[in-house]
Amino acid sequence: MDITSIRSILHYLSKNILPTKFETAQQPEPNTIQLCFRGVNSQTWLEVSWNGESPRILKINKPEKIGRESTLSKQIRYGLKYMALISINQDDFERVIKFGFAKKPGDEICKYLIFELMGKHSNIFYLDNKQKIIAVGKQINSNQSSFRTISTGSIYSDPPVNLKKKPREDESFQSWKDSISTVPESLKFCLVNTYQGVSPILTKQLEVFSNANESEIMEKNIDFISDEDLNEIFKSWKIWIKRFKNNNFNFSIFNKFFYCVWFLDKEINYRNKIDLCTGIENYYDYHLKKKKFELLVNKIEGIIFKQTNTEKKNLNFQYNLLLKSENYELYKEKADKIFSTNEIKKQDIIKGQKLYKKSKKLKRSRELIKERLIIYKNNINRLDEFTTLLENLNSLNDEEFFIKIKLLEEIMEEICNEFNINFKRNREDRKSRSQIQSSPIQIATPSGLKVQIGRNMRQNDLISFKFSKKGDLWFHAQESPGSHVVLKSSSQVASEKDLQIAADLAALFSRAKRNIKVPINLVKIKDLQKIKKGGPGCVSFKNKEIIWGNPTRGEEYIKKNLKRAI
């Protein structure tokens, strides 16, 4: 979050939550704290993150109760109990925010919360009235920083002084140009490295706002930019400083991907008026969830890749053992040859007995090896099914990220449980995930019958056995991993169109979805059996019927008819 956005949020908070009573705190993630303040007529939640990749302060809607038992949240919750927030301070372009708390409005400040939102050096401090650190987000020892050490019990000291120039309204164009022209780099580089409060996103905003003749002017070397274009950037620069100083903020979206808090609606033809805090919260909520989704996908793909290699290695080892076991008759023939000779010595008898023993052992081991081969092959096929579930997550492009994230978390847990893979998860995560579980997709056929589609192993198991009734029909791509699809035909007889739509959807949610046509197994629920020693979603069946599914047709149908995925 850039300094202009921080300033806009703090301006809103200063007007709306001073003074308010501190109510509670929770820590949903290691580098994020959520604080609740109670006013006369309203309740306000703030989220502050000192994550190095996305430090931020946001006003948020009431969150889920996650992270209340963390040490930091407990210390803040009990230390600030019944206290009032009476001051919010932040100096010019500094990224240090100070919240002051007193026993009641009008009293002296006796506790502080300080947020340093400075990239990888971001942190949170809980201090007493003598600036002594009671709790801190992350402690820094002398090996990590030569400038200052941070630990509980020590006295808080300010971060290093920012040596860059402060932007000034009264600065002349020539002075500004001379300041940024010291090093012949791109205009963006020169602005970011010369002035306080300038971020890469601000340079993009200045470029969009100005009437410069050249496109992508911020990426061009400053020595090759005309004074005319530089002057246009300078005019935008002055407007930004003025609005920053005067707290003239307004939320808007520009270039489809970015937001700004200092453009006016008329300046960018932004039609949909959104509250500043709501707009920024929605923006970060979307992009942070998108990032979390991508990280989870990469993590699960890594787990599957590693486990697949392990299973293949074990499979090859068993194949080698099987090849060796085929020589059991050769060892028996060697032993027979020894005992068929006229003169047998004691050492020959011992050697012959060993050969017989090895021959019998190899013969007995063949069946065990074959069983292990089946297990490892099944494990590889199972991992292939998990890969297909991952690929199918993008079948619904408009689906909310929080739904996809839930599915990913459940898929990762299923893989780890099934293959005994250890993964760290704190107590709060276990509690929250047990309370909130994803549901299968449900969609209606042309005649009104319900179709359920499983998107992880637990859902496949539920729709195939727990939710199904006698008379329902089960669909799955033939000899291809994919989701279970159940047509709820127990309520009324399914028409040919109903059967075809169910088959098309089974084709869409399978590994073979890029084919023009996919053979689909149609099985009555009564002919479906759960494999006892298999994992969730492992089934066997009899009396199947083949029906051809069209993935493209299934995709078109689900786009038109699926109102929401729950």
Side-chain angles (χ1 to χ4, degrees):
M1 178 179 272
D2 70 324
I3 190 62
T4 315
S5 299
I6 292 172
R7 180 80 168 220
S8 69
I9 293 289
L10 296 181
H11 175 64
Y12 171 89
L13 296 177
S14 297
K15 290 195 307 180
N16 292 277
I17 70 166
L18 288 181
T20 49
K21 187 181 81 171
F22 171 82
E23 194 159 87
T24 189
Q26 60 182 36
Q27 192 177 4
E29 294 176 1
N31 296 325
T32 302
I33 196 83
Q34 292 170 338
L35 308 168
C36 179
F37 298 93
R38 171 74 67 178
V40 177
N41 299 314
S42 63
Q43 187 185 60
T44 302
W45 278 91
L46 301 183
E47 179 175 277
V48 185
S49 176
W50 55 100
N51 185 308
E53 295 181 356
S54 57
R56 61 195 180 274
I57 178 168
L58 302 170
K59 175 183 173 293
I60 60 171
N61 292 322
K62 186 177 179 180
E64 296 175 15
K65 291 183 179 181
I66 301 173
R68 292 176 62 82
E69 299 306 311
S70 73
T71 303
L72 180 61
S73 67
K74 278 183 177 179
Q75 287 176 303
I76 293 173
R77 191 161 65 247
Y78 293 121
L80 299 179
K81 193 175 183 181
Y82 304 126
M83 300 195 77
L85 173 66
I86 62 169
S87 70
I88 297 175
N89 295 314
Q90 177 261 330
D91 297 330
D92 288 334
F93 301 95
E94 293 294 333
R95 302 176 66 88
V96 179
I97 305 162
K98 297 182 179 180
F99 281 21
F101 295 86
K103 290 183 179 179
K104 61 182 180 180
D107 287 1
E108 289 186 3
I109 294 175
C110 56
K111 296 284 176 66
Y112 294 91
L113 277 180
I114 297 179
F115 310 108
E116 295 180 358
L117 307 182
M118 304 179 298
K120 65 180 181 180
H121 302 294
S122 298
N123 212 339
I124 177 180
F125 302 85
Y126 170 39
L127 314 177
D128 64 13
N129 59 339
K130 295 180 181 179
Q131 303 287 299
K132 182 180 177 181
I133 299 175
I134 301 171
V136 63
K138 53 186 178 184
Q139 304 202 37
I140 308 294
N141 59 40
S142 56
N143 294 329
Q144 295 171 299
S145 173
S146 59
F147 179 80
R148 64 170 180 168
T149 57
I150 298 170
S151 61
T152 53
S154 61
I155 301 299
Y156 172 78
S157 59
D158 292 325
V161 177
N162 194 336
L163 300 177
K164 296 179 186 177
K165 287 185 68 175
K166 281 189 178 183
R168 297 191 341 260
E169 282 185 87
D170 58 353
E171 187 175 22
S172 66
F173 171 70
Q174 192 58 48
S175 171
W176 177 79
K177 182 184 174 183
D178 292 341
S179 297
I180 61 176
S181 301
T182 307
V183 180
E185 290 283 351
S186 68
L187 179 54
K188 179 171 77 173
F189 177 90
C190 294
L191 285 170
V192 170
N193 288 278
T194 304
Y195 285 96
Q196 295 179 21
V198 182
S199 60
I201 189 62
L202 176 63
T203 63
K204 189 67 179 176
Q205 291 165 359
L206 293 170
E207 179 181 273
V208 170
F209 192 81
S210 68
N211 295 316
N213 295 320
E214 296 188 58
S215 60
E216 301 293 330
I217 191 171
M218 286 294 170
E219 304 299 330
K220 297 194 174 181
N221 190 295
I222 194 166
D223 287 348
F224 298 99
I225 301 174
S226 67
D227 278 1
E228 182 184 355
D229 284 338
L230 274 179
N231 196 44
E232 290 297 329
I233 296 291
F234 181 68
K235 288 177 184 177
S236 302
W237 171 264
K238 299 276 276 190
I239 292 170
W240 165 68
I241 297 172
K242 184 177 180 180
R243 292 178 183 174
F244 184 93
K245 295 282 188 180
N246 295 332
N247 293 316
N248 188 4
F249 299 115
N250 176 58
F251 180 83
S252 58
I253 296 288
F254 72 101
N255 282 17
K256 296 182 181 179
F257 304 106
F258 308 107
Y259 78 91
C260 182
V261 296
W262 60 276
F263 289 174
L264 300 181
D265 294 341
K266 62 182 180 181
E267 292 167 338
I268 55 167
N269 297 319
Y270 189 65
R271 297 177 181 178
N272 299 323
K273 183 70 177 175
I274 303 176
D275 172 70
L276 185 140
C277 287
T278 303
I280 295 177
E281 182 197 1
N282 292 342
Y283 181 88
Y284 274 93
D285 182 66
Y286 173 81
H287 286 282
L288 289 170
K289 282 178 178 172
K290 182 181 178 183
K291 187 175 182 179
K292 185 177 181 180
F293 170 78
E294 291 167 352
L295 288 172
L296 272 172
V297 168
N298 291 336
K299 187 174 182 179
I300 295 170
E301 285 177 344
I303 291 171
I304 292 174
F305 178 78
K306 185 177 179 181
Q307 191 63 34
T308 301
N309 285 341
T310 301
E311 300 298 335
K312 285 181 177 178
K313 185 178 178 181
N314 291 335
L315 185 68
N316 290 333
F317 181 74
Q318 295 301 320
Y319 270 127
N320 291 333
L321 288 179
L322 187 64
L323 287 173
K324 289 178 182 178
S325 70
E326 289 176 354
N327 297 324
Y328 75 94
E329 289 185 350
L330 184 64
Y331 291 106
K332 183 177 180 299
E333 288 174 2
K334 285 182 179 179
D336 290 342
K337 192 174 181 181
I338 290 172
F339 285 106
S340 63
T341 55
N342 293 327
E343 296 182 4
I344 304 176
K345 297 179 181 178
K346 185 178 180 181
Q347 61 186 23
D348 293 330
I349 294 172
I350 294 170
K351 185 179 179 181
Q353 287 175 335
K354 284 182 178 179
L355 288 170
Y356 277 131
K357 190 175 181 180
K358 191 167 186 177
S359 175
K360 288 178 181 178
K361 186 178 179 180
L362 289 174
K363 187 176 181 180
R364 287 196 306 269
S365 68
R366 285 178 62 79
E367 294 305 315
L368 292 172
I369 293 169
K370 287 177 181 177
E371 287 178 12
R372 292 192 199 115
L373 286 173
I374 292 170
I375 291 169
Y376 292 129
K377 284 178 183 178
N378 288 339
N379 285 347
I380 292 169
N381 291 335
R382 188 70 167 165
L383 288 165
D384 205 28
E385 287 182 36
F386 281 114
T387 300
T388 304
L389 291 175
L390 274 186
E391 292 172 356
N392 287 342
L393 277 177
N394 292 320
S395 297
L396 304 178
N397 295 325
D398 298 330
E399 192 170 37
E400 294 285 347
F401 273 117
F402 80 90
I403 296 172
K404 291 184 177 181
I405 288 169
K406 280 183 188 178
L407 286 164
L408 283 174
E409 289 172 343
E410 290 176 4
I411 289 170
M412 185 168 75
E413 189 170 358
E414 288 171 350
I415 297 169
C416 293
N417 288 340
E418 195 159 326
F419 291 91
N420 296 317
I421 300 169
N422 292 324
F423 70 107
K424 292 182 180 180
R425 193 176 70 192
N426 61 42
R427 192 180 301 169
E428 290 290 338
D429 282 344
R430 287 198 295 270
K431 184 180 177 182
S432 63
R433 286 183 194 175
S434 64
Q435 292 172 347
I436 305 167
Q437 291 185 321
S438 63
S439 300
I441 292 173
Q442 190 162 285
I443 190 170
T445 65
S447 62
L449 288 179
K450 289 180 181 178
V451 176
Q452 291 181 330
I453 305 166
R455 303 184 71 193
N456 57 34
M457 297 303 181
R458 180 185 62 84
Q459 290 182 15
N460 284 341
D461 217 40
L462 286 174
I463 66 172
S464 298
F465 297 103
K466 189 172 181 179
F467 297 163
S468 62
K469 295 180 181 179
K470 187 177 180 181
D472 291 342
L473 298 172
W474 182 86
F475 297 78
H476 194 284
Q478 187 181 44
E479 296 182 359
S480 177
S483 295
H484 295 198
V485 176
V486 174
L487 177 63
K488 311 296 285 182
S489 54
S490 53
S491 56
Q492 67 182 61
V493 178
S495 66
E496 287 297 322
K497 282 187 177 180
D498 295 334
L499 297 175
Q500 188 59 62
I501 286 298
D504 293 342
L505 293 173
L508 173 64
F509 286 90
S510 74
R511 173 64 63 83
K513 62 185 173 185
R514 292 179 182 84
N515 296 348
I516 297 172
K517 285 186 177 182
V518 180
I520 304 296
N521 291 323
L522 190 163
V523 181
K524 293 178 181 178
I525 285 292
K526 67 174 186 177
D527 293 330
L528 201 65
Q529 278 191 326
K530 185 176 175 62
I531 298 175
K532 289 183 179 179
K533 292 185 179 181
C538 285
V539 300
S540 62
F541 51 84
K542 57 184 180 179
N543 302 326
K544 69 178 180 181
E545 180 185 338
I546 299 297
I547 183 170
W548 290 90
N550 186 319
T552 305
R553 195 163 53 212
E555 187 175 14
E556 290 172 357
Y557 187 84
I558 205 167
K559 281 180 179 178
K560 290 178 183 178
N561 296 277
L562 185 66
K563 293 180 180 179
R564 66 189 182 99
I566 57 173

